[in-house]
Amino acid sequence: MYSFQTVIIRRLALALILVLAGVSLWPGAVSAQQPGAAVTINQLDASKYPQLSAVVTVLDARQLPVPALTDAQFEAFDGEQATPITTVRSAQDESLRLSVIVVIDVSGSMATSFSSAQQAASQFVTSLRANDEAAIVAFNDKVTVAAPLTADKRALTDTISRLQPGGGTALFEAVQTGAFLAREANTPRAAVVLLTDGENDTTASSSTEADSLSSVRSAGIPLFTIGYGAAPDVRYLQSISTATQGDYRAATSASVVAVYDNIAALLRNQYVLTMTATAPANGDDATLRIVANVGGSAASAEAAFKRGAAPVSAAPTAAATAAGTSDDDEPAATSSGGSNFALLAIGAIVGLAAVAAIILVAEAWLRRRRAHGRQLAVVKPNPALAAALGVPPPVPGVAASADNGTGRLIELNGATPAHTYTFASAPISIGSEEACDVHVPRRADIAARHALVWIKDGKIILRHVGGPRRPTLIGGRPVQWVTLDEGDEFTVGPHRYRAERLHEVPNPPD
């Protein structure tokens, strides 16, 4: 708990850092709409600067998507400098694949009108093109990735049909999960479409509104939110849609199909523009403005980006060093008064920045500690599941062996017989690297060394080592370091595993 003084210093120092660094408090794209037609920059990728790529939606005066725009109807500007447009591709282009994360509220309050929402979500998934892909995320008290990203529309609709409502509403965590999955999609376009009828009302999830807003802003993926029924959290849903250049729609059981259809129409009529910037890659903040000429009128939108990475400052040259001293090696004359004041001001600013940085680092450390504690509590004891799966119970009176005992990792991917791997106090590794003990095919969602499993103090330990972009999941939740109970399962990409203890049986007496 911070003191009042610490909070004040922290806020003042953070504001000072943001002002000095020129950091925008609103990193997302800002749509600048004129009367009539309107343009929105839904996504902007400057990671390969000077190459820029933008996903753009253009609406006419009736707020309907404008199809079949040509290259000549778009212009782009980096500040006031015209930026050449290399290509303009319509979403109708089969190569412009789309990834959609369909997030569905399955809390108890959805029970009375859930069938309408199910039908609408299924029709939405079916309306996607053959090579587009989608994932299904269901949430009540817990958030579950019910179906990973796939182009198999039958598998997606079957998943939706099996969803059953019940429990609370972990809305903030659902938003974070959807944004995370969309950010990891390996397609030119991505979006999250989320439907809920309520507000975050569960203590089972530790995610906060601030956490979710931070996640969606950093992901750079548009969120289209649907407030279903009479009591959704409209303020929150509008805020996350606005923050991501998505859109908020209200729906009832009678209109929800039409709302999903409207969002599908927007996604089917987007444009992807590629541009080549002319300014140097110096790390400066910049603004991209895209203009669309529709029916004789122009509409524009702006989005912030950085011009590549700032170069490392060069060491002072001999000439520059010499310029600081006189011919007789005496120090060059400097102005007094004003220079001293400037130095004092700079020193004060640097000091405040250092204090703020220390506070922020300490806060981040505390957040990591709290997150680690939550990770350890993700997997609850599950004796019922262990019994159903035939996991042998501990043998009474038999202690673990000197090396903590041994365990067995079972791959649950439909192979007959199932692949099994034995582990003990020395970790076994899972990943796409050939040297891994459990080698899996290389995929975008699997790291070279993805996860480790071993036994310590008689407990099965799972540690994720693949980085934040390629998670290890338990019950649809990314985990870092957890203790597994008998019968618990986890996934690495599409691969599912179950860990079991092999209980030691004593040798019979001589």
Side-chain angles (χ1 to χ4, degrees):
M1 182 67 68
Y2 295 116
S3 67
F4 175 77
Q5 293 85 352
T6 301
V7 171
I8 294 299
I9 292 174
R10 175 180 158 215
R11 291 180 178 175
L12 290 174
L14 179 58
L16 179 60
I17 289 175
L18 294 177
V19 171
L20 292 173
V23 176
S24 170
L25 293 174
W26 188 257
V30 178
S31 176
Q33 300 180 358
Q34 299 180 3
V39 175
T40 300
I41 301 176
N42 300 113
Q43 294 172 249
L44 176 59
D45 182 5
S47 61
K48 298 178 181 178
Y49 189 88
Q51 301 302 315
L52 301 172
S53 177
V55 178
V56 176
T57 301
V58 183
L59 303 179
D60 62 17
R62 299 168 298 167
Q63 297 300 291
L64 297 176
V66 180
L69 293 176
T70 65
D71 298 24
Q73 291 175 275
F74 287 98
E75 297 176 277
F77 300 87
D78 179 354
E80 298 303 319
Q81 180 68 38
T83 301
I85 297 177
T86 309
T87 60
V88 174
R89 301 162 67 193
S90 168
Q92 302 300 323
D93 184 341
E94 289 292 327
S95 65
L96 280 178
R97 296 173 57 225
L98 170 68
S99 296
V100 185
I101 312 302
V102 181
V103 185
I104 305 174
D105 187 343
V106 294
S107 61
S109 59
M110 290 282 294
T112 57
S113 56
F114 188 63
S115 60
S116 297
Q118 272 181 308
Q119 178 187 355
S122 293
Q123 289 186 207
F124 172 78
V125 167
T126 304
S127 73
L128 299 175
R129 297 177 311 176
N131 62 338
D132 291 337
E133 60 183 16
I136 308 300
V137 175
F139 70 98
N140 45 29
D141 293 292
K142 296 182 179 180
V143 180
T144 303
V145 181
L149 278 169
T150 179
D152 186 341
K153 307 305 186 294
R154 173 63 65 84
L156 293 167
T157 56
D158 285 349
T159 297
I160 294 172
S161 69
R162 290 194 296 268
L163 298 178
Q164 297 292 330
T169 309
L171 178 57
F172 299 151
E173 185 176 340
V175 168
Q176 286 185 286
T177 303
F180 177 84
L181 292 174
R183 186 183 63 186
E184 297 302 301
N186 189 27
T187 52
R189 299 182 298 138
V192 176
V193 179
L194 179 146
L195 178 143
T196 181
D197 73 336
E199 60 183 2
N200 194 89
D201 64 0
T202 180
T203 59
S205 171
S206 59
S207 180
T208 66
E209 179 175 347
D211 292 337
S212 64
L213 283 170
S214 175
S215 296
V216 299
R217 285 173 176 165
S218 62
I221 303 295
L223 267 77
F224 296 87
T225 56
I226 302 172
Y228 191 47
D233 189 345
V234 176
R235 178 199 60 80
Y236 172 71
L237 296 176
Q238 288 179 333
S239 70
I240 59 175
S241 290
T242 300
T244 61
Q245 294 305 291
D247 197 12
Y248 168 77
R249 306 293 174 93
T252 64
S253 57
S255 66
V256 64
V257 170
V259 169
Y260 268 113
D261 285 347
N262 188 274
I263 295 172
L266 289 176
L267 296 174
R268 282 196 300 268
N269 289 281
Q270 290 178 319
Y271 296 87
V272 176
L273 281 62
T274 56
M275 296 142 283
T276 303
T278 57
N282 53 15
D284 286 353
D285 292 323
T287 300
L288 176 70
R289 179 164 58 94
I290 293 178
V291 180
N293 298 286
V294 182
S297 65
S300 66
E302 295 182 351
F305 71 98
K306 283 189 178 292
R307 296 194 181 103
V312 178
S313 300
T317 62
T321 304
T325 59
S326 62
D327 291 340
D328 57 359
D329 294 332
E330 290 293 323
T334 59
S335 61
S336 60
S339 296
N340 291 336
F341 177 78
L343 289 173
L344 288 172
I346 292 172
I349 291 171
V350 171
L352 281 173
V355 170
I358 291 171
I359 293 172
L360 292 175
V361 169
E363 184 182 15
W365 180 81
L366 287 172
R367 280 201 305 268
R368 286 195 298 271
R369 286 293 299 274
R370 289 193 294 267
H372 176 67
R374 292 195 298 268
Q375 292 286 349
L376 294 178
V378 167
V379 184
K380 303 298 183 185
N382 199 350
L385 177 60
L389 294 171
V391 178
V395 178
V398 179
S401 61
D403 65 347
N404 297 313
T406 57
R408 177 173 58 193
L409 189 65
I410 304 173
E411 187 171 355
L412 304 171
N413 293 322
T416 306
H419 295 298
T420 60
Y421 308 87
T422 303
F423 58 91
S425 55
I428 62 168
S429 56
I430 306 170
S432 61
E433 190 176 72
E434 291 288 345
C436 287
D437 303 292
V438 183
H439 177 256
V440 294
R442 187 179 300 277
R443 286 171 48 106
D445 55 353
I446 297 177
R449 280 174 59 83
H450 196 102
L452 303 174
V453 181
W454 72 98
I455 287 185
K456 179 178 175 61
D457 298 329
K459 298 178 180 178
I460 303 172
I461 308 297
L462 167 66
R463 183 181 181 187
H464 173 71
V465 294
R469 295 176 62 84
R470 300 176 178 90
T472 298
L473 302 177
I474 295 180
R477 293 185 176 187
V479 296
Q480 295 296 325
W481 192 319
V482 297
T483 300
L484 298 176
D485 292 297
E486 296 280 16
D488 284 323
E489 298 177 5
F490 64 92
T491 58
V492 172
H495 304 283
R496 191 160 56 96
Y497 300 94
R498 182 171 75 238
E500 300 178 353
R501 275 292 311 275
L502 295 178
H503 301 285
E504 303 293 332
V505 179
N507 294 324
D510 294 331

